[in-house]
Amino acid sequence: MSQETGGADAALPQPGDDRAAGAMVRADLVAAIVFIVLGAAILYASWTMPRLEVRRIHPMTVPGLVPGLLSFALVVCGGILAWRSVRAPAPGGWQSLREAVLSREAVRALVVAALALVYTLGLVGTLPFWAATAVFVFAFVLVFEVWLAEPRKSWRTSLPWAMGLAVVTAAAVTLVFERAFLVRLP
């Protein structure tokens, strides 16, 4: 069967996809290293947590048990991913990975991560929750419609849309969490 018919060989890598496959292999290696380091750090932190023996706490309910087990699993999975990516062929891997990291899509992903970090670490707790959410949604819409969109939209059309969406989203999220879920928001 051919690719047009959606046969079994449609999922097989094509000759021009070698560089993309090499980039993915190298990306897996970098991710594996991050997972191993993160898992080891969390494992150490959970091991050094107080075990509360003085209060006669059962060993299976100590505070660091679940994070320790999860971080151990993260280290194991990171090791398996690293082993697999080291063994796999990666033609043009590091060069292709550099091109992928510097692509427009990667910049958009980094902007999303930066906006989310500003929201969670900077706005929530500093402003009332509804205001922090409104500022986040407003900024998100403007950034992705005016600056990072292809084609870009004008300020005049995006500004009212961003303001309206920010107000509705902030009100809806606040009401749902406070009234339906009975969660006290910061």
Side-chain angles (χ1 to χ4, degrees), residues 25-96:
V25 168
R26 293 301 176 232
D28 285 349
L29 181 59
V30 171
I33 292 168
V34 169
F35 292 150
I36 291 170
V37 169
L38 180 65
I42 296 171
L43 184 61
Y44 173 76
S46 65
W47 182 261
T48 58
M49 287 181 82
R51 290 187 177 66
L52 307 174
E53 297 99 357
V54 176
R55 296 187 179 184
R56 300 190 191 276
I57 301 292
H58 190 276
M60 297 305 284
T61 61
V62 296
L65 182 64
V66 172
L69 293 174
L70 292 174
S71 62
F72 178 75
L74 188 62
V75 169
V76 169
C77 290
I80 292 169
L81 184 62
W83 180 69
R84 192 197 109 224
S85 63
V86 166
R87 295 189 58 220
W94 292 114
Q95 178 65 26
S96 299

Side-chain angles (χ1 to χ4, degrees), residues 5-17:
T5 60
D9 49 330
L12 296 175
Q14 301 302 313
D17 293 339

